[in-house]
Amino acid sequence: MNPSTLLGTASIPNNGGVLRLTQRGNDFSIHLQGLRGELMNSRVHSSELALAELGCAHIQGRKNTKVLVGGLGMGFTLASALKATTDSSEVVVAELVPEVVEWNKGPLGECAGRPLDDKRAVVHVGDVADLFKAKQVNTDQASYDAVLLDVDNGPEGFTKADNNNIYSIQSLRAIGQTLRLRGVLAIWSAWYDQKFTQQLKKASFDVEIKTVRAHKGKGSRHTIYLAKKR
Ligand SMILES: C[S@@+](CC[C@H](N)C(=O)[O-])C[C@H]1O[C@@H](n2cnc3c(N)ncnc32)[C@H](O)[C@@H]1O
């Protein structure tokens, strides 16, 4: 087996610990230092692509749409969102860790076909939660047709503990306020959580659950919560 090479490390803001980027052969891994585990591996990315395919299905072929992707990771969801939207659309990607953006400008960027080079991609370096804080007062001022969230391994803080707040009912309602009419919030998860489905419903979303395989129709089953604004 090829040895694993450490390509970089980065501190997660707010005492979130350390992210490590490693490479083994053609495969890259981003993981949390210590026993906390892997956040993403380039070898397995079908469900990250599906997050954008499913979350953007309602805006297929529509002009001037706007999509928010939270976190960049290895860029698969961003690339898939760019593919799913038209030339006049914009895809904002929020990434908490500045080094992750830099890694994607280097060799890691090849994994997803260098989506950051697409002129429709706009990078927000910072916490995706900040983009939900400016409360919208009516639907005309809402920002996004789709919000695609994959910042943890599911609807609980994994990258950093205070990501837990993103999945609270208050935050889900705030996300709903940023969505345009018939907008969709799609959330990636390594597991299914019935309580979270109820939470989304309480926050005024209609919820559909999609199960997708991790790798080309094989491997682990991941969940995508498709929450449609009522
Ligand atoms: C699992 S990876 C995303 C994988 C991505 N879907 C892809 O296709 O490669 C999670 C990413 O979210 C970032 N992240 C974690 N918490 C965040 C937050 N609160 N705001 C923005 N980005 C965050 C992490 O640094 C990491 O890059």
Side-chain angles (χ1 to χ4, degrees):
M1 195 195 273
N2 287 326
S4 174
T5 310
L6 179 66
L7 299 183
T9 60
S11 296
I12 302 168
N14 245 354
N15 298 321
V18 173
L19 276 188
R20 290 162 59 90
L21 173 67
T22 57
Q23 182 173 12
R24 186 191 293 276
N26 292 327
D27 299 333
F28 293 86
S29 167
I30 296 178
H31 46 274
L32 294 151
Q33 188 161 287
L35 297 174
R36 288 167 64 201
E38 192 168 61
L39 200 51
M40 176 81 205
N41 192 300
S42 60
R43 193 168 36 84
V44 182
H45 58 258
S46 298
S47 58
E48 284 77 6
L49 299 177
L51 175 66
E53 289 159 5
L54 294 167
C56 296
H58 66 297
I59 49 171
Q60 196 183 18
R62 256 177 50 196
K63 289 185 181 161
N64 302 316
T65 57
K66 192 167 173 184
V67 175
L68 172 63
V69 176
L72 176 60
M74 297 183 179
F76 291 107
T77 304
L78 172 63
S80 181
L82 289 163
K83 194 172 166 201
T85 50
T86 55
D87 286 353
S88 57
S89 297
E90 180 176 301
V91 182
V92 179
V93 60
E95 174 51 54
L96 182 69
V97 182
E99 287 86 344
V100 171
V101 178
E102 292 312 310
W103 295 343
N104 273 271
K105 291 177 182 167
L108 180 64
E110 296 296 341
C111 295
R114 303 209 161 274
L116 290 182
D117 291 350
D118 191 310
K119 62 180 187 338
R120 298 173 297 148
V122 177
V123 180
H124 167 85
V125 180
D127 197 322
V128 69
D130 294 343
L131 303 180
F132 308 134
K133 281 181 188 153
K135 243 186 157 200
Q136 308 297 324
V137 287
N138 64 45
T139 311
D140 291 345
Q141 292 169 303
S143 310
Y144 308 110
D145 297 285
V147 171
L148 315 173
L149 278 187
D150 179 16
V151 293
D152 295 299
N153 274 353
E156 60 183 45
F158 177 66
T159 310
K160 61 183 178 104
D162 55 8
N163 272 0
N164 269 320
N165 298 331
I166 294 176
Y167 313 105
S168 69
I169 194 142
Q170 293 82 356
S171 163
L172 294 173
R173 285 196 177 121
I175 295 173
Q177 300 248 312
T178 69
L179 283 170
R180 293 175 178 160
L181 199 65
R182 289 186 278 280
V184 168
L185 163 65
I187 301 176
W188 188 98
S189 179
W191 63 87
Y192 174 66
D193 179 348
Q194 173 67 24
K195 278 196 195 138
F196 186 61
T197 302
Q198 294 309 326
Q199 180 99 316
L200 286 163
K201 288 181 181 170
K202 278 191 206 148
S204 299
F205 289 101
D206 289 325
V207 185
E208 212 182 318
I209 303 298
K210 299 280 185 185
T211 303
V212 290
R213 302 299 287 266
H215 184 56
K216 298 180 180 166
K218 294 185 284 189
S220 314
R221 286 180 167 79
H222 296 154
T223 296
I224 291 174
Y225 298 88
L226 275 185
K228 299 177 188 179
K229 184 172 172 162
R230 279 191 202 134

